[in-house]
Amino acid sequence: MKKEEQPKTHVAIKTDRQWFGNDSTVSTFIATAYDEQGNAVDTLDGYFLEPKTDYKRAKICGDDKAIMNGTYNIVPKQAWQRFEWYVDKVPGRSGIAIHCGNKGSDTSGCLIPATSFKHDKATNNYSVTGSSKKKNELFDFFKKYGGKGITITIGI
């Protein structure tokens, strides 16, 4: 039996923080898969919900704030009998997962992917919908195209 070859593609995710609430931040993202020649072969877009953006506290371990701007690797880790994806080597932070949720308090400093978002003007907070669907789409995209690595650039 032939060993299955890893894809020779990699994924680069670019985020753009656009909406800032009292306890939440919403970014648009586009994930682009590139072949070994650097040609874009597929894309996936959506939103990420994070906690409040506070760059003075973003590097404090255990603090529930949005991730510091920068470029990071996304790596798979075995957790609770399944693979999850984590943002790796964020200064001062660890365990930053990509997982489902609906509001800023669900993030614990992590990224929540979504298909859409809502703004509550009374509280100036954001919530997202379609998190489970978008997480599954994103993880499938990683598995299909991330053989040579996955990076995420978080920024304004």
Side-chain angles (χ1 to χ4, degrees):
M1 183 191 294
K2 269 189 173 179
K3 184 179 175 185
E4 190 174 319
E5 287 187 32
Q6 283 285 343
K8 295 180 180 176
T9 55
H10 73 277
V11 174
I13 303 170
K14 172 84 170 112
T15 72
D16 184 13
R17 288 185 174 137
Q18 296 188 30
W19 301 278
F20 301 87
N22 289 334
D23 79 349
S24 52
T25 304
V26 177
S27 303
T28 58
F29 79 80
I30 185 160
T32 306
Y34 295 95
D35 65 18
E36 57 190 270
Q37 288 79 36
N39 301 308
V41 294
D42 202 356
T43 61
L44 178 70
D45 62 0
Y47 299 94
F48 280 128
L49 180 71
E50 295 180 82
K52 179 179 180 174
T53 299
D54 181 346
Y55 294 118
K56 291 178 184 174
R57 300 188 58 82
K59 292 183 180 182
I60 299 172
C61 186
D63 208 351
D64 185 17
K65 300 296 178 238
I67 300 166
M68 181 63 78
N69 291 348
T71 299
Y72 308 101
N73 290 321
I74 293 180
V75 297
K77 291 186 182 177
Q78 185 79 26
W80 302 296
Q81 305 302 322
R82 63 180 191 260
F83 280 100
E84 297 292 335
W85 296 87
Y86 290 83
V87 182
D88 198 29
K89 298 181 182 172
V90 176
R93 307 275 293 276
S94 64
I96 299 174
I98 300 172
H99 63 78
C100 295
N102 296 107
K103 54 189 184 226
S105 60
D106 293 337
T107 68
S108 301
C110 300
L111 296 171
I112 295 176
T115 58
S116 62
F117 71 95
K118 297 176 186 176
H119 181 237
D120 181 337
K121 290 181 184 180
T123 63
N124 189 32
N125 286 315
Y126 291 89
S127 61
V128 295
T129 58
S131 181
S132 181
K133 178 181 189 270
K134 188 55 69 176
K135 180 194 85 139
N136 291 337
E137 289 175 359
L138 192 58
F139 286 11
D140 288 346
F141 196 83
F142 291 169
K143 290 173 192 168
K144 183 174 182 179
Y145 296 115
K148 291 288 185 179
I150 303 166
T151 58
I152 185 167
T153 300
I154 296 176
I156 296 178

